[in-house]
Amino acid sequence: MTAPIVRFAPSPTGRIHIGNARTALLNYLFAKRAGGQFILRYDDTDLERSTREFADGIATDINWLGIKPDHVIRQSERFALYDEAANRLRAMGRLYACYETEDELERKRKRQAARHLPPVYDRAALKLTDEEKAALEAEGRKPHWRYLLEDRSVAWTDLVRGPSHVESASLSDPVLIRADGSYLYTLPSVVDDIAMGVTHVIRGEDHVTNTGVQIQIFETLSGKSPQFGHHNLLTNASGEGLSKRLGHFSIASLREADMEPMAVASLAVLVGSSEAVRAVPSMDELGGLVDLSRLSRAPAKFDEHELDALNAKLLHQLPFEAVAARLAHLGIAADEAFWLAVRGNLARLADAAQWADIVAGPIAKPVGLDAEFLATALSFLPSEPWDHETWGAWTNKVKEATGRKGKELFMPLRLALTGLEHGPELKLLLPLIGEEKARLRLA
Ligand code: GLU
């Protein structure tokens, strides 16, 4: 098999959400696992609603998730290709001019509904003579252009859904070009997929019907069509679809909330597949778990709490090298010993700041400490150098001297040393705090 070429084709009319990220990641991991290429294609033919700012934002979002596109293309720079394809379709008799207004089409649909017929365009425009068309244009009407579908069943083997088909006879001939000359999404997408040699079109299952139409256009223009895979869509926890316009779970907001990109990527890819959802530390490893044929057919629920849990689990296993630069960027003074001591207590990376502050001090002294007990404990505190054995050796002596054990023994020490009742293991924290500060805090 030749290496796959895939594309992720967002319209830059908003920022991408976790469901869009799922599409991008499934494409990327599918291609990269097989040594293929990933194209980022901006579907920005809608010049009014698309912005450069959204486009750049989407690039930032997918880069953050670990996706490095091999090519970036913008449909707004490729109109000449679409015009050329439209002309070829016209010459082949597969793209025809229609003059009905929206109102006229609506009336046709109502008449069909009254007779219990499906609301399929009746192809009246195909019967127009050149004189009739000229007369309509003289009235000031501008044509919109429909693709003439072959009335047949279009079948394909879907990478996710298996054998699939669309009955073209139940569809209206799709409008490819509006009366104002602008392109709908359908044709430019096919033209670019052909031009870029796209081998696999992996997208959400909301595009299944488009596939019936697009396979016909692919075959008309190039004699063949790529493979298709339609993955299930993500919903929120109550089962509602995600909206880019409403900013649901945008990747930008998850990044700003200090989420780990691999936690987001792991959930976006594994939710709604037969793989157990877990925090996968690298894209290579995640790619090894992607199997389009094992995605669920049912919509998958995206649950924020699940993401929080994955995020924490991922942090708890990350090595220092993986976070050193980001800790520095957050202004958190950290070395490997610090990281290994605190990572198990973090929900978000930035939470490490709290522990850096506690290690560095000063800390707020808790009220109601047992001064007598702490004085005894202080008298047994060994001198530095300290290591991970120090805590155990010290507290054993305090235990013998005071007869305390368990919580009675440890909680006052933890409170005095950190100011808090919970936190990282003290055998790791104590050497970081150091003798000088420890003595002050116990005194
Ligand atoms: N711009 C389309 C979308 O965002 C692309 C669909 C496709 O992948 O073909 O839905």
Side-chain angles (χ1 to χ4, degrees):
M1 186 179 102
T2 52
I5 301 178
V6 302
R7 84 299 194 280
F8 172 56
S11 46
T13 54
R15 291 297 279 267
I16 56 170
H17 57 54
I18 184 94
N20 308 127
R22 175 174 174 77
T23 308
L25 286 160
L26 288 174
N27 271 287
Y28 185 73
L29 296 171
F30 174 85
K32 289 297 151 182
R33 197 172 59 165
Q37 294 187 36
F38 174 95
I39 298 165
L40 171 58
R41 184 184 87 201
Y42 293 113
D43 283 3
D44 56 354
T45 54
D46 182 342
L47 301 174
E48 306 240 302
R49 291 173 59 228
S50 303
T51 71
R52 184 69 188 218
E53 210 178 342
F54 283 136
D56 293 346
I58 290 170
T60 305
D61 295 342
I62 67 168
N63 283 333
W64 178 73
L65 285 168
I67 294 177
K68 317 247 175 310
D70 297 289
H71 303 281
V72 179
I73 63 173
R74 291 170 209 281
Q75 292 198 319
S76 56
E77 295 168 356
R78 300 165 65 85
F79 285 114
L81 279 174
Y82 313 144
D83 293 346
E84 193 249 347
N87 286 335
R88 278 178 57 210
L89 291 176
R90 282 188 192 98
M92 296 161 99
R94 297 297 297 274
L95 190 63
Y96 63 99
C98 301
Y99 294 87
E100 294 91 346
T101 63
E102 235 349 283
D103 281 350
E104 287 164 354
L105 290 172
E106 186 52 39
R107 262 179 273 140
K108 280 190 199 223
R109 285 192 285 266
K110 285 207 177 115
R111 282 200 299 274
Q112 286 167 319
R115 293 159 56 203
H116 304 288
L117 295 172
V120 175
Y121 177 61
D122 62 6
R123 294 180 169 163
L126 267 185
K127 300 186 193 91
L128 293 173
T129 62
D130 287 347
E131 291 74 40
E132 286 167 325
K133 289 187 204 170
L136 287 164
E137 295 198 15
E139 265 177 38
R141 296 208 190 199
K142 294 238 170 356
H144 55 276
W145 296 83
R146 288 187 191 261
Y147 176 75
L148 182 63
L149 286 171
E150 285 166 5
D151 294 336
R152 61 177 169 99
S153 176
V154 176
W156 72 94
T157 303
D158 198 280
L159 298 164
V160 179
R161 299 155 63 95
S164 304
H165 70 278
V166 167
E167 296 302 332
S168 305
S170 67
L171 303 176
S172 294
D173 286 340
V175 176
L176 300 189
I177 307 174
R178 298 184 187 88
D180 66 2
S182 64
Y183 286 94
L184 282 102
Y185 140 82
T186 314
L187 179 65
S189 182
V190 171
V191 170
D192 285 331
D193 287 341
I194 294 171
M196 302 303 290
V198 167
T199 57
H200 297 78
V201 173
I202 299 164
R203 56 189 178 184
E205 64 185 10
D206 48 334
H207 284 288
V208 168
T209 308
N210 285 337
T211 297
V213 169
Q214 289 183 327
I215 285 179
Q216 284 209 20
I217 304 178
F218 271 112
E219 291 177 354
T220 310
L221 288 174
S222 73
K224 58 182 190 304
S225 83
Q227 284 189 265
F228 288 85
H230 295 90
H231 63 75
N232 55 351
L233 299 179
L234 294 190
T235 67
N236 67 13
S238 36
E240 294 155 322
L242 304 181
S243 153
K244 191 153 82 176
R245 193 169 49 79
L246 299 177
H248 286 151
F249 302 117
S250 75
I251 298 304
S253 69
L254 297 173
R255 183 177 61 245
E256 280 151 21
D258 195 34
M259 286 291 173
E260 297 305 303
M262 281 311 302
V264 176
S266 298
L267 188 56
V269 168
L270 298 180
V271 68
S273 82
S274 54
E275 281 293 332
V277 173
R278 56 188 184 273
V280 181
S282 76
M283 287 286 267
D284 277 350
E285 213 174 302
L286 189 57
L289 299 174
V290 168
D291 181 348
L292 294 177
S293 69
R294 297 183 67 199
L295 294 185
S296 151
R297 296 279 299 265
K301 280 189 181 161
F302 175 77
D303 179 351
E304 277 174 285
H305 304 296
E306 198 171 5
L307 181 58
D308 285 332
L310 280 189
N311 198 75
K313 267 199 199 123
L314 188 66
L315 283 172
H316 301 175
Q317 67 188 47
L318 282 183
F320 180 59
E321 314 83 75
V323 291
R326 284 171 58 209
L327 288 170
H329 184 75
L330 289 167
I332 300 172
D335 59 11
E336 184 166 22
F338 169 81
W339 175 248
L340 295 179
V342 306
R343 64 179 181 179
N345 283 77
L346 307 180
R348 306 278 165 99
L349 186 70
D351 297 347
Q354 180 195 10
W355 296 108
D357 290 346
I358 287 172
V359 166
I363 59 166
K365 211 171 180 89
V367 286
L369 290 176
D370 181 342
E372 198 184 325
F373 169 71
L374 291 178
T376 311
L378 179 55
S379 70
F380 288 100
L381 189 70
S383 300
E384 285 180 327
W386 286 356
D387 58 22
H388 294 167
E389 311 300 320
T390 309
W391 168 258
W394 173 44
T395 52
N396 265 334
K397 289 197 188 124
V398 179
K399 180 176 167 184
E400 277 166 29
T402 62
R404 292 197 190 199
K405 54 184 189 215
K407 203 175 165 199
E408 296 271 274
L409 170 68
F410 297 121
M411 188 55 76
L413 297 177
R414 176 178 285 284
L415 267 173
L417 289 166
T418 68
L420 295 175
E421 287 183 1
H422 301 285
E425 278 187 85
L426 282 162
K427 73 172 194 181
L428 303 181
L429 222 44
L430 187 65
L432 297 172
I433 294 170
E435 186 181 344
E436 190 185 333
K437 280 177 273 176
R439 286 188 184 282
L440 280 172
R441 293 178 191 183
L442 293 164

